[in-house]
């Protein structure tokens, strides 16, 4: 089975390429390097001792996509390629809608033309209405609060409608919770450009001395220690969820959604304390104001993915903190 990975040089895409290649699966990757670089491809090759078949192309370029699909007999696609900075999406909504939606539409058209029926779509827990009761299950209402999350809801809708119209199609939309951690080799990981918004890269960079301190965004929430809780999942667990989904999609047509999370809320203070303990260091931090838009808690209902995919996250918060630091120590940012 040959799998095309869009956004193959990105954070989750690069880990997926490395894992699938390591399993001797046929992998082709495409990326336009808008938020990644060729260095990721070299590192995938180094980790696996193999040469990844790679194309530099924008998914919205129909001719380029047609060329890739003509050159290979693709059986399934994992569609990661997207812009993902929440704050930037608010400032530049048209750029976000153009990129995230048009790339998905071009992909769908090209898949149809070349008779490719299986796609795993990278969706997000940020598509849920955060005011819903916890845990967030696949049936919880969706309501976005920024263009990034809206673009994910819209792509889910497009894929759902495509499945309704074409019964041979098979789509699995995976709603990720908070993806953190890095490859155990320490060679690939999350490399956000500029100052990271997300907590784990910010913590790792602070530990390296790149920031004076971490600001904890509020400690007066109605949670056990007053700081927000989130459902952190290790990127290698997340990758496993995608591989299980490829196998699921090969056997089941139609549109299906699964949460990928651990199913437990971890507070900001617990993340800090665990990072300090497993890595034997002290992290400078102080308590600051709440960040607008943050919900007090978020965690996944995991029963559906467990029952239908057989997926259970295995890596612990300790693994996530250790691998995050292992990667950060060796990286140049
Ligand atoms: C954020 C996005 C979400 C996106 C997800 C991707 C917002 C409001 N939400 O989610 O749409 O899908 O990233 O991973 O931007 N925190 C601090 N100090 C920091 C950074 C974060 O205390 O410097 C806290 C936050 O208040 C939050 C937790 O850490 O409670 C996690 O924050 P973050 O990593 O940004 O993820 P989310 O807010 O869950």
């Amino acid at each position: 089975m040959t799998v095309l990975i869009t956004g193959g040089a990105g954070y989750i895409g690069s880990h997926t390429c490395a894992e699938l290649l390591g399993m001797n699966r046929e992998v082709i990757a495409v990326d336009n390097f808008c938020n990644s670089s060729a260095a990721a491809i070299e590192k995938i090759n180094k980790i696996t001792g193999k040469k990844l078949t790679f194309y530099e192309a924008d998914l919205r370029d129909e001719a380029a996509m047609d060329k890739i699909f003509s050159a290979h007999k693709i059986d399934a696609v994992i569609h990661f390629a997207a812009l993902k900075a929440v704050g930037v999406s608010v400032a530049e909504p048209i750029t976000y809608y153009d990129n995230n939606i048009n790339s998905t539409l071009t992909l769908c058209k090209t898949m149809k033309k070349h008779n490719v029926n299986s796609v795993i779509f990278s969706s997000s827990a940020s598509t849920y209405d955060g005011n819903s009761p916890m845990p967030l299950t696949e049936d919880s209402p969706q309501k976005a609060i920024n263009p990034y999350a809206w673009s994910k809801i819209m792509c889910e809708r497009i894929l759902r409608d495509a499945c309704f119209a074409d019964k041979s199609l098979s789509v699995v939309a995976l709603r990720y919770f908070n993806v953190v951690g890095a490859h155990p080799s320490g060679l690939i990981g999350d490399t956000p450009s500029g100052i990271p918004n997300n907590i784990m890269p910010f913590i790792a960079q602070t530990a390296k001395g790149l920031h004076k301190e971490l600001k904890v965004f509020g400690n007066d929430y109605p949670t056990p220690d007053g700081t927000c809780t989130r459902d952190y999942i290790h990127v290698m667990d997340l990758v496993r969820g995608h591989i299980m989904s490829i196998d699921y999609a090969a056997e089941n047509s139609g549109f299906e959604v699964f949460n990928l999370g651990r199913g437990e809320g971890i507070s900001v203070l617990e993340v800090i304390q665990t990072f300090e303990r497993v890595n034997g260091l002290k992290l400078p931090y102080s308590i600051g104001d709440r960040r607008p838009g943050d919900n007090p808690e978020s965690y996944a209902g995991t029963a559906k993915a467990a029952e239908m995919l057989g997926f259970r996250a295995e890596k612990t918060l300790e693994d996530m903190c250790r691998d995050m630091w292992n990667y950060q120590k060796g990286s140049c940012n």
Side-chain angles (χ1 to χ4, degrees), residues 60-214:
R60 291 167 295 178
D61 181 342
E62 286 193 33
M65 292 301 284
D66 195 50
K67 230 175 174 171
I68 297 170
F69 277 75
S70 299
H72 304 274
K73 167 81 196 73
I74 294 165
D75 299 293
V77 179
I78 307 183
H79 179 32
F80 292 113
L83 297 175
K84 60 170 187 176
V86 173
V88 183
S89 82
V90 176
E92 297 173 29
I94 305 307
T95 306
Y96 267 64
Y97 288 127
D98 176 20
N99 186 84
N100 292 2
I101 293 169
N102 283 326
S103 59
T104 302
L105 287 173
T106 309
L107 178 66
C108 289
K109 286 189 254 177
T110 315
M111 285 175 61
K112 195 172 174 69
K113 182 173 172 195
H114 292 269
N115 239 344
V116 180
N117 293 323
S118 236
V119 59
I120 313 305
F121 176 64
S122 181
S123 190
S124 166
S126 64
T127 62
Y128 287 120
D129 180 350
N131 296 311
S132 304
M134 297 295 140
L136 295 165
T137 71
E138 290 80 354
D139 295 327
S140 296
Q142 286 180 292
K143 183 179 166 227
I145 56 165
N146 54 66
Y148 160 74
W150 276 120
S151 77
K152 291 291 177 185
I153 291 181
M154 289 173 191
C155 288
E156 280 196 16
R157 185 75 229 180
I158 289 165
L159 293 165
R160 188 187 290 269
D161 289 345
C163 280
F164 183 76
D166 179 353
K167 301 295 178 215
S168 65
L169 257 187
S170 179
V171 177
V172 176
L174 297 174
R175 294 185 186 147
Y176 313 156
F177 281 69
N178 291 59
V179 188
V180 299
H183 195 271
S185 65
L187 287 175
I188 49 175
D190 193 6
T191 42
S193 49
I195 297 172
N197 293 311
N198 296 121
I199 191 164
M200 205 54 118
F202 196 95
I203 285 181
Q205 289 190 1
T206 304
K208 201 172 175 179
L210 298 178
H211 310 288
K212 198 171 115 266
E213 61 169 13
L214 169 78

